[in-house]
Amino acid sequence: MIPVAFDYQRASSIDDAIAKLAASGGGKLIAGGHSLVPLMKLRLSEPGTLVDISRIPGLSGIKDAGGKIEIGATTTHNEIASSKLLRDKCPMIAEAASEIGDPQVRNRGTIGGSIAHADPSADMPAVMLALNAEIHLMGPKGWRVVKSPDFFKDLFTVDKAADEIIVSVQFAPVRTAAYAKLFQRASHYAIVGVAAALDVSNGRIRVARIGLTGAAPHAIRLRNVEEALAGQVLSTETIDAAVKVAGSDLKAINGDIHGSAEYRRAMIPVFTRRALNRALARA
């Protein structure tokens, strides 16, 4: 299908993008376009103006920022997947990025676009939850930081105003972490995806964070699994005991042609175990 007619503007800076967005009266930001353009083709989104932020200096890149890792919003999935810094310090996010879509999607799609769109089957929202990432936004009223558990609100709904721009995500690197997903063969979207990050000290799990995607209306934390793991010795026995409750408290489960709600519910503990066992292997 063909989208409705729209104006196109390219922003030269974050401030310029905010000004252009405000002047557009309901325009949309675009970087890679892999979330927005399909909606426009189906006319589920009909912005009168597109503000291109893909070439704003400093809005892409991966760096160590005082012990935390900072990833710019327009950084592509391929750049994340191939980053030596991430492969060394936080391999889970690099591996998750390498499993997104296909080479065309990974070379154009961006982390900012993925988390702003918040598709219920996208990979990055679950990874952000497991890393307890901070989402840094800029708008007419200035800077704002939102923790990832507060950012993902509902189906395609996040804590971001229409006139705000995601500038970056920041998180403390975690090596004892992994991502596992059951995916659609054509699109590689998650039917069920689980990101698990463990803070381990002296052989015990101090804190566990488990992010789930694909199975629920939006990415969420599996709090009951986290509570079952906290304070326990890191072992396969501990993992086996904890995953028994994975998904048991979820009331809303997705169901579609790729997998019924019953099937997804059954797969949640399976892929929670796989993610945790991969994290265990890195401990």
Side-chain angles (χ1 to χ4, degrees):
M1 293 183 67
I2 300 172
V4 298
F6 58 87
D7 293 329
Y8 170 85
Q9 300 179 20
R10 176 172 290 168
S12 59
S13 67
I14 295 173
D15 289 338
D16 183 41
I18 292 169
K20 282 182 166 60
L21 194 60
S24 70
K28 294 281 188 179
L29 300 172
I30 188 168
H34 280 276
S35 298
L36 179 58
V37 171
L39 293 180
M40 293 174 61
K41 287 183 175 180
L42 293 171
R43 301 203 174 186
L44 295 173
S45 181
E46 299 182 347
T49 302
L50 291 184
V51 179
D52 187 345
I53 61 172
S54 63
R55 299 189 185 183
I56 292 178
L59 203 56
S60 68
I62 304 164
K63 64 182 180 181
D64 190 323
K68 288 187 175 183
I69 290 176
E70 179 180 309
I71 303 178
T74 59
T75 305
T76 66
H77 303 308
N78 183 61
E79 289 169 329
I80 293 170
S82 58
S83 166
K84 185 178 185 304
L85 175 64
L86 293 176
R87 288 279 178 181
D88 290 343
K89 292 194 172 184
C90 195
M92 172 178 66
I93 187 171
E95 290 174 357
S98 72
E99 296 181 18
I100 293 173
D102 52 32
Q104 290 88 344
V105 171
R106 291 193 293 273
N107 276 286
R108 292 295 301 166
T110 64
I111 186 171
S114 177
I115 63 176
H117 185 55
D119 190 290
S121 295
D123 303 290
M124 280 301 161
V127 173
M128 294 294 100
L129 289 175
L131 293 173
N132 200 32
E134 296 177 343
I135 317 300
H136 291 242
L137 304 105
M138 181 69 171
K141 297 179 181 179
W143 288 91
R144 192 164 67 93
V145 178
V146 182
K147 285 281 192 179
S148 53
D150 300 319
F151 187 74
F152 302 105
K153 294 291 189 181
D154 206 340
L155 182 68
F156 299 110
T157 305
V158 296
D159 184 4
K160 185 186 86 67
D163 57 0
E164 287 183 313
I165 295 176
I166 296 175
V167 176
S168 67
V169 299
Q170 290 188 14
F171 52 87
V174 184
R175 279 203 56 83
T176 312
Y179 181 63
K181 72 171 175 175
L182 172 66
F183 57 87
Q184 302 172 23
R185 293 295 177 180
S187 67
H188 269 239
Y189 270 116
I191 298 172
V192 172
V194 178
L198 304 174
D199 183 353
V200 181
S201 178
N202 297 321
R204 286 189 178 273
I205 303 168
R206 293 181 59 253
V207 177
R209 293 184 299 274
I210 316 295
L212 173 70
T213 189
H218 62 95
I220 57 171
R221 294 260 294 266
L222 294 178
R223 300 285 185 179
N224 55 356
V225 180
E226 296 174 353
E227 291 168 2
L229 291 169
Q232 302 299 313
V233 174
L234 179 59
S235 66
T236 54
E237 293 77 14
T238 296
I239 291 170
D240 289 341
V243 300
K244 291 179 181 178
V245 299
S248 61
D249 59 339
L250 299 181
K251 296 179 181 179
I253 298 288
N254 297 335
D256 54 31
I257 61 172
H258 304 290
S260 66
E262 293 77 12
Y263 180 66
R264 279 181 162 91
R265 189 180 292 277
M267 289 298 102
I268 293 171
V270 173
F271 283 85
T272 301
R273 177 183 283 108
R274 291 186 185 184
L276 285 167
N277 281 335
R278 291 177 187 177
L280 171 63
R282 287 187 166 132

